[in-house]
Amino acid sequence: MLHITLRQLKVFESVARHLSFSRAAEELHLTQPAVSMQIKQLEDTVELPLFEQMGKKIYLTDAGRELYHYSRAISQQLSDMELALDELKGLERGRLNISVVSTANYFAPHLLAKFCQRYPDITVSLNVSNRETVLKQLSDNVIDLAIMGQPPEDLDIAAESFMENPLVVIAAPDHPLCRMERIPVKRLEQETFLVREPGSGTRGAMERFFASHHISLSKGMETDTSEAIKQAVQAGMGLGITSLHTVELELETKRLKILDVEDFPIMRYWHIVHRKHKRLSSVAQAFKEFLLKEARGLMPMSHKRAAEAWL
């Protein structure tokens, strides 16, 4: 019988999923040498190499692929066991594992705080990532729920909208367009836009909008965070399109302005998402229902005032 520990399997599964020792170490809150040691001990136990390195990248060997298949199955069984035990604890004690796209991080902690006030003994694990990473976490079934804008169409998931997500055009306060009203959409063709990375929900919505209006978009700097977009717009590098929820502070301090452009805002929605056939824990189900029923009414007044002013 192989004397493999659950800790070794957990470390191996993370390294195999990321194909990276450093990313696995970050995910598991371990040092990279500690991760390497666990993998070395596991390879000594099975008496086969599990990874091979080519250049700067690592790949699974045949033995590694076989072990990865079983480690994921074991991990799922352990997750199901933990879920069953949490069901017995009810909502008094339990764990919520949730990921949100980076733009949603401007409001998600507020809603989580309200939820935790009702159930103070639950444990929440919040991961903030770009859309691509969140989709991979859903695909790998390593999270309970996700909050994102546009749900994917190529995953077997359940998605329900719980709150509006208006996209607005932002500019530095001294930009010439700030003095104009009812700016024609076609006028934006003369401007440079700072854009999110390919695959971003905001970028996808922006590109679909301009394509539907037969406008050729002039792209400037590309970045993977809304915060970088806002900073670049403030610096006068161009215009940006972002969720209204991300610019509350900048509007109050007059560091950014929302342009009055025809056909804006682009109305989108925030969705709560999970794998379609996933068995949700009591805590995850309660949080989902909490968002669907109460999220909009629990948003800070500053968010509501901003929305009312531009919707």
Side-chain angles (χ1 to χ4, degrees):
M1 179 180 292
L2 293 174
H3 296 288
I4 298 174
T5 68
L6 291 176
R7 180 178 177 83
Q8 288 171 344
L9 282 179
K10 184 176 182 179
V11 171
F12 168 77
E13 192 275 336
S14 183
V15 175
R17 177 160 38 88
H18 293 296
L19 290 178
S20 168
F21 283 78
S22 59
R23 291 182 65 186
E26 181 180 350
E27 178 180 85
L28 299 172
H29 305 290
L30 297 172
T31 64
Q32 191 166 331
V35 170
S36 298
M37 181 182 69
Q38 292 291 328
I39 297 300
K40 178 65 168 62
Q41 291 175 348
L42 184 57
E43 289 181 327
D44 290 342
T45 299
V46 301
E47 298 180 340
L48 287 168
L50 301 175
F51 297 96
E52 57 184 350
Q53 186 161 351
M54 297 182 183
K56 294 183 178 180
K57 294 185 178 181
I58 64 170
Y59 300 87
L60 286 166
T61 62
D62 289 342
R65 283 189 289 272
E66 195 72 20
L67 186 59
Y68 184 47
H69 167 75
Y70 286 105
S71 68
R72 291 193 64 182
I74 293 170
S75 177
Q76 185 60 54
Q77 288 289 313
L78 291 172
S79 178
D80 290 345
M81 179 187 71
E82 185 178 5
L83 180 59
L85 295 175
D86 282 343
E87 292 288 344
L88 296 176
K89 300 172 187 175
L91 289 173
E92 296 304 315
R93 294 168 57 201
R95 183 179 184 87
L96 176 64
N97 190 5
I98 184 169
S99 284
V100 304
V101 294
S102 56
T103 307
N105 193 42
Y106 287 89
F107 65 85
H110 175 81
L111 296 176
L112 281 167
K114 294 291 186 182
F115 182 73
C116 290
Q117 286 173 8
R118 298 186 187 180
Y119 308 105
D121 293 326
I122 67 171
T123 301
V124 176
S125 175
L126 172 64
N127 178 269
V128 182
S129 301
N130 61 26
R131 176 182 168 85
E132 182 181 359
T133 300
V134 172
L135 290 179
K136 188 174 189 309
Q137 291 170 337
L138 280 170
S139 178
D140 291 339
N141 197 31
V142 296
I143 55 175
D144 298 320
L145 300 166
I147 292 177
M148 63 176 58
Q150 182 66 33
E153 297 179 356
D154 56 346
L155 281 180
D156 189 22
I157 65 163
E160 295 183 68
S161 63
F162 64 89
M163 191 168 64
E164 295 90 350
N165 176 24
L167 301 184
V168 294
V169 185
I170 56 174
D174 58 353
H175 194 284
L177 290 181
C178 290
R179 298 189 292 271
M180 295 179 60
E181 296 182 357
R182 302 304 298 161
I183 302 166
V185 176
K186 195 69 175 175
R187 172 64 178 78
L188 298 182
E189 201 165 31
Q190 303 174 31
E191 302 295 327
T192 297
F193 277 83
L194 311 169
V195 297
R196 289 289 303 271
E197 78 285 4
S200 158
T202 301
R203 177 163 174 173
M206 178 183 70
E207 290 178 339
R208 288 191 296 273
F209 175 85
F210 282 123
S212 69
H213 286 75
H214 308 289
I215 292 175
S216 178
L217 179 64
S218 177
K219 300 173 186 175
M221 185 182 76
E222 182 179 289
T223 179
D224 62 355
T225 69
S226 296
E227 197 62 34
I229 294 286
K230 293 190 297 181
Q231 293 294 329
V233 171
Q234 288 179 54
M237 295 177 64
L239 303 181
I241 292 180
T242 188
S243 169
L244 182 61
H245 292 121
T246 70
V247 291
E248 173 194 357
L249 179 60
E250 288 78 12
L251 294 177
E252 289 184 354
T253 57
K254 303 187 186 307
R255 287 183 287 173
L256 287 174
K257 284 195 173 183
I258 297 177
L259 296 183
D260 182 13
V261 181
E262 290 179 351
D263 295 334
F264 272 86
I266 304 172
M267 184 52 69
R268 301 173 73 233
Y269 296 88
W270 290 113
H271 295 80
I272 184 71
V273 179
H274 60 83
R275 293 292 294 269
K276 184 173 291 184
H277 301 294
K278 184 176 181 65
R279 178 187 172 192
L280 295 179
S281 67
S282 297
V283 173
Q285 185 62 40
F287 183 67
K288 176 182 176 180
E289 293 174 1
F290 166 81
L291 288 185
L292 295 175
K293 294 177 181 178
E294 304 181 50
R296 198 176 192 283
L298 291 173
M299 290 298 290
M301 285 304 299
S302 53
H303 280 283
K304 295 176 185 177
R305 286 194 298 269
E308 288 169 358
W310 289 98
L311 297 183

